[in-house]
Amino acid sequence: MTNCIHADTVTSVYTLRQTQEFQDWLDGLKDLRGQVRIVARLRLAEAGNLGDWKPVGGEVAEMRVDAGPGYRLYFTRRGSLLIVMLAGGDKSTQGRDIKRAQRILKQLEMEP
């Protein structure tokens, strides 16, 4: 008897939504290994495992991905079920990326 979890038994805890800016950033990464690690991290987050994350100001938080140049995924939570991925970047552009994520969040809040 083997111990394994079948994919059809894993349920999502969170629904993840991605802004166009986040999708464009992820699609534009030249680091394919990093891209794969980020997508895997998003799947873990959907399953309820946010892993290494911290609040970075206001309602924006940062998931850290230990790959490549130190990728950062900026998100906000809406209620207990929805996570909105706002922007992405790496350690070298962290300050600028946090400000961009906060600006995107403000724009989303103003939309009807």
Side-chain angles (χ1 to χ4, degrees), residues 7-104:
D8 61 345
T9 62
V10 177
T11 59
S12 292
V13 173
Y14 292 110
T15 298
L16 257 63
R17 298 281 187 251
Q18 298 178 12
T19 63
Q20 189 62 51
E21 188 154 351
F22 182 84
Q23 288 175 0
D24 292 345
W25 171 79
L26 184 57
D27 291 343
L29 281 181
K30 303 285 187 245
D31 177 6
L32 295 181
R33 284 185 182 174
Q35 200 175 41
V36 167
R37 295 278 302 271
I38 290 166
V39 170
R41 180 64 185 275
L42 295 175
R43 296 299 156 252
L44 285 172
E46 278 182 321
N49 182 1
L50 295 180
D52 184 11
W53 72 277
K54 68 177 183 177
V56 293
E59 295 181 41
V60 176
E62 166 189 270
M63 278 189 241
R64 294 180 287 252
V65 179
D66 188 23
Y71 293 112
R72 305 299 197 251
L73 314 177
Y74 299 97
F75 69 98
T76 190
R77 286 195 238 189
R78 293 287 181 236
S80 61
L81 301 177
L82 177 66
I83 294 177
V84 180
M85 302 307 301
L86 301 168
D90 62 49
K91 184 68 177 167
S92 69
T93 58
Q94 188 174 18
R96 185 174 52 221
D97 296 332
I98 290 169
K99 289 176 184 169
R100 184 168 34 108
Q102 290 169 334
R103 187 177 64 248
I104 293 168

